[in-house]
Amino acid sequence: MDNIAITDATPEELRSGELGRKLRHYNYGFVGEYPEQQYIRLNARDGNGRLLGGLRSFVFLYWLNIEVLLVEADVRGSGVGSRLLAKAERQAIALGATNAKLDTFEWQAPAFYKKHGYEEYARIDDYAPGFYMASMKKSLAR
C-alpha cells in the first residue's frame, strides 16, 4: 500500500463519470437499480428578463435534493418562491421522487419551508458562528 498516490482528479476523469458509475453499481447490490441523478434547474424572470430568483436541485435515489432556492428581496412574499418550489416538486415527482430534502440557515427560510410542508429532522447549532443550520424533509407522496 506504500506505492499508492493520492492526486487531484483530472478534468478527463471527472467527465468520464467512472467513479460515480462504480459507486452506483456498488449501491445496486443493496437497493437495486435506480435512475441516474437528474437535475432540476429553474429560473424566474420578469417581463424585462430580470432574474428574480431560481432553484437548483437534483433527484437522486428518489429524493429531491434542493441545493439553492433564492428570491430577490424586493419580490419576496409575492409567491415566486412558492411557485419555484411547487414546480420543482412536480418535476421531481415526474422523475420518480417520493421525498424532498434541503438545508437552510435560521436566517434564511425555515418558516417558508414549514409553510410548504417541510419538517425539521436535524439541526447543527453554530454552523455559522451564532446560527444553526436546519435539515428539513417532506414526503412528496400523494
Side-chain angles (χ1 to χ4, degrees):
M1 297 300 264
D2 291 337
N3 62 348
I4 295 174
I6 306 296
T7 61
D8 293 334
T10 66
E12 294 79 25
E13 290 170 326
L14 294 173
R15 275 192 299 277
S16 79
E18 180 182 4
L19 188 63
R21 273 193 307 280
K22 286 178 181 262
L23 178 59
R24 197 168 47 255
H25 287 279
Y26 174 77
N27 292 345
Y28 290 167
F30 294 90
V31 297
E33 285 197 37
Y34 51 85
E36 288 190 36
Q37 181 170 292
Q38 299 290 319
Y39 292 95
I40 298 174
R41 308 289 199 228
L42 304 172
N43 287 333
R45 295 187 182 277
D46 68 12
N48 296 319
R50 176 178 165 230
L51 182 63
L52 302 176
L55 185 144
R56 304 295 183 258
S57 63
F58 62 91
V59 173
F60 176 71
L61 269 174
Y62 310 107
W63 280 79
L64 169 63
N65 296 267
I66 299 170
E67 297 178 303
V68 174
L69 173 54
L70 174 85
V71 175
E72 290 287 352
D74 63 325
V75 293
R76 289 184 190 145
S78 69
V80 171
S82 296
R83 290 175 57 197
L84 286 164
L85 185 59
K87 184 166 185 167
E89 289 175 353
R90 285 192 307 273
Q91 287 186 6
I93 290 167
L95 292 170
T98 55
N99 296 286
K101 71 180 189 74
L102 58 93
D103 294 319
T104 186
F105 286 105
E106 70 179 280
W107 73 82
Q108 291 177 326
F112 167 81
Y113 293 113
K114 285 180 184 173
K115 181 177 101 174
H116 291 283
Y118 286 76
E119 63 180 89
E120 186 177 314
Y121 67 90
R123 178 182 289 196
I124 301 173
D125 291 322
D126 215 33
Y127 191 95
F131 298 97
Y132 70 80
M133 181 175 64
S135 295
M136 304 183 82
K137 66 179 180 173
K138 174 183 177 179
S139 172
L140 299 178
R142 296 181 181 203

